[in-house]
DNA sequence: TATCAGCGATGAGAATACGCATAATTTCAA
DNA sequence: TTGAAATTATGCGTATTCTCATCGCTGATA
């Protein structure tokens, strides 16, 4: 599995390259669009990751050129811009995914896996936590083998939870993930969707997976995995000292 | 990892740039808001550090403009102003952190790391001292394998203690860490939280970890380790030499 | 040892965040 | 245009956390 990265900042992508290397990807790294185009003339890649702000050519122009010369390699854009205008431009130029900087390594990894999965098949394209399974590509979600029907917002929330499982996600993060910073509704909506998600998960026996971290946000965990570590009546994830357990809807 | 600094006083930031450069950050430095905006049009940065008193545009206006154009890069403000009004204005414009000049280099470094940490990925986000373990991302804390349920303020205090383990932390530092100089309550609150923390730690056998340094503040230590090595006390915080007593609540 | 400032502990009221039902609005297909 | 589904907004009861006042105690200093 071969990846080409075009990014002028070698330090930032250094870690990404390191991580990908460990996942048995072969990574080439260039700093200019020119070099990237050149390499594409001679080699095939399974994925192309690029920033938009390359010095010699606007990122979307590079993408357009690649697509014009019939390069079908999936393209992932790395950028600090979150405006939908830029995103749309990137997508319409031919990008397949768009990740905002600074990015979370494991989230990027998951997305990369989703984009490269086709080429060699066998790798795991799915995100799993306990009985929960989510397919990034087909956007299907199942719990204990039962497929759930989720609305787009519900899916988007669950996707972020899975992409960054084990991390506390603030409502801000959800808003940003769901709306990309444009026409954002009230924050209160997030807990409405969380509530609906919880109920749907519960229907098929996946309880206590989304935990509230009071004053911060929400976190996704496999209750079976975490309760093993702690014994007595402690709650799934934040067993309490004195008394009160973490509140879990249900 | 790429940082853009906008500051008209090149001497002041010169040192910072030097230090950051050694930490393998790539640093660009401009002196006007105009230049900064221009660079943001063409490049992606992982962090933007700016003073408020730029000549051509009020700092917060610059921040607002960046945010309006959907730049999601974390923004750290450097300013000599300490009034909460200015701070609030900066934050509401879209800043992520606020450091007052003159600043402590290592503190600035820590904050910068915190702001850019996410992109560095999986590099050991856990802090440990003796039986205590803290995960910065999931905000989970465990003692001897038992997970604790901490409130957000309790967690914030423990986090600072662990981030700077072995150093005496004054109540001022805690206040600053918890409230960032905005709407700070009475200082007395800190020892209320310390008290609650100690009790929760004690419940699972972690006693004597938070030690009172009378008249100065608190320090986190592994009691098992310190009994042998209680004389590395040359740190900035023990001007009294060997006689300085440490008291432990119980 | 007397004195005083700093610290530990507690509990109650205030402030805040959350869960969820429900209502209003938007979207979209027929 | 109409109706159903999805999305967004609102409101309220409740859970949780924060803050403060207070009191008794501890350690520093002379």
């Amino acid at each position: 599995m071969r990846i080409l990265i075009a990014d002028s900042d070698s330090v930032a992508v250094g870690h990404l390259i390191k991580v990908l290397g460990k996942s048995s990807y072969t990574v080439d790294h260039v700093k200019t669009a020119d070099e990237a185009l050149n390499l594409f003339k001679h080699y095939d890649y399974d994925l192309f990751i690029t920033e938009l702000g390359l010095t010699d050519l606007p990122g979307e122009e590079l993408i357009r050129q690649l697509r014009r010369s019939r390069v079908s390699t999936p393209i992932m854009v790395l950028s600090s811009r979150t405006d939908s205008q830029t995103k749309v431009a990137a997508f319409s130029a031919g990008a397949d995914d768009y990740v905002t900087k600074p990015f979370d390594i494991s989230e990027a990894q998951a997305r990369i896996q989703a984009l490269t999965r086709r080429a060699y098949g066998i790798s795991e394209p799915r995100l799993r936590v306990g009985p929960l399974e989510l397919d990034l590509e087909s956007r299907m979600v199942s719990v204990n083998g039962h497929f759930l029907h989720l609305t787009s917002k519900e899916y988007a929330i669950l996707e972020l939870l899975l992409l960054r499982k084990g991390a506390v996600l603030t409502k801000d993060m959800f808003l940003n993930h769901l709306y990309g910073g444009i026409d954002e509704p009230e924050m209160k909506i997030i807990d409405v969707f969380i509530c609906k998600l919880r109920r749907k998960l519960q229907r098929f026996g996946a309880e206590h997976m989304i935990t509230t971290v009071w004053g911060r946000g929400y976190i996704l965990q496999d209750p079976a995995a975490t309760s093993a570590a702690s014994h007595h009546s402690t709650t799934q994830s934040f067993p309490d000292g004195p008394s009160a357990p973490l509140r879990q809807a249900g």
Side-chain angles (χ1 to χ4, degrees), chain A:
Chain A
M1 197 70 72
R2 207 152 161 183
I3 299 179
L4 176 63
I5 301 181
D7 196 306
S8 55
D9 177 7
S10 52
V11 183
V13 294
H15 291 265
L16 185 58
I17 293 176
K18 215 168 172 180
V19 170
L20 291 175
K22 281 186 188 161
S23 310
S24 74
Y25 288 98
T26 308
V27 183
D28 292 344
H29 178 211
V30 297
K31 301 197 171 194
T32 65
D34 195 51
E35 294 173 277
L37 284 167
N38 213 37
L39 280 175
F40 262 107
K41 277 188 192 135
H42 302 289
Y43 302 102
D44 289 328
Y45 289 97
D46 299 298
L47 176 63
F48 177 47
I49 301 175
T50 181
E51 70 169 323
L52 286 181
L54 294 171
T55 47
D56 53 341
L57 200 64
E60 45 176 288
E61 192 46 44
L62 168 58
I63 296 172
R64 216 180 305 273
Q65 281 198 26
L66 284 173
R67 292 304 187 215
R68 250 205 302 271
S69 51
R70 308 266 174 229
V71 169
S72 66
T73 303
I75 297 176
M76 171 185 283
V77 168
L78 280 182
S79 164
S80 62
R81 307 219 136 201
T82 60
D83 58 306
S84 59
Q85 210 178 348
T86 306
K87 284 186 190 177
V88 168
F91 279 117
S92 74
D96 297 281
D97 202 354
Y98 190 106
V99 174
T100 50
K101 288 198 210 179
F103 55 87
D104 179 78
I105 278 273
S106 59
E107 175 180 342
Q109 237 184 325
R111 287 173 180 276
I112 286 167
Q113 225 168 46
L115 284 173
T116 55
R117 149 193 116 83
R118 268 174 258 152
Y120 287 92
I122 340 149
S123 66
E124 176 140 332
R126 287 189 179 140
L127 304 174
R128 304 195 58 169
V129 169
L132 231 179
E133 212 169 317
L134 181 146
D135 188 313
L136 282 172
E137 208 175 2
S138 67
R139 303 174 70 88
M140 301 245 271
V141 176
S142 66
V143 173
N144 291 318
H146 304 272
F147 284 96
L148 298 185
H149 172 65
L150 300 182
T151 70
S152 66
K153 302 294 184 212
E154 289 165 354
Y155 172 84
I157 285 192
L158 190 59
E159 184 185 81
L160 187 61
L161 280 169
L162 274 153
L163 281 169
R164 308 211 39 197
K165 62 182 171 186
V168 173
L169 300 167
T170 65
K171 297 188 181 180
D172 267 325
M173 292 172 173
F174 285 110
L175 274 188
N176 202 55
H177 183 71
L178 266 67
Y179 306 94
I182 224 156
D183 274 340
E184 289 184 356
E186 299 288 313
M187 251 189 209
K188 262 227 129 219
I189 299 186
I190 300 303
D191 59 50
V192 174
F193 284 122
I194 290 280
C195 168
K196 292 184 173 176
L197 252 181
R198 279 179 174 151
R199 219 172 319 166
K200 287 191 178 179
L201 293 180
Q202 195 177 4
R203 275 181 79 86
F204 295 104
E207 296 189 358
H208 310 309
M209 297 205 62
I210 303 172
T211 308
T212 303
V213 181
W214 215 91
R216 301 288 157 181
Y218 301 94
I219 186 172
L220 182 81
Q221 294 168 304
D222 181 4
T226 45
S227 66
S230 56
H231 39 289
H232 64 106
S233 72
T234 56
T235 33
Q236 54 288 352
S237 47
F238 289 86
D240 198 348
S243 59
L246 239 244
R247 210 177 129 89
Q248 181 73 46

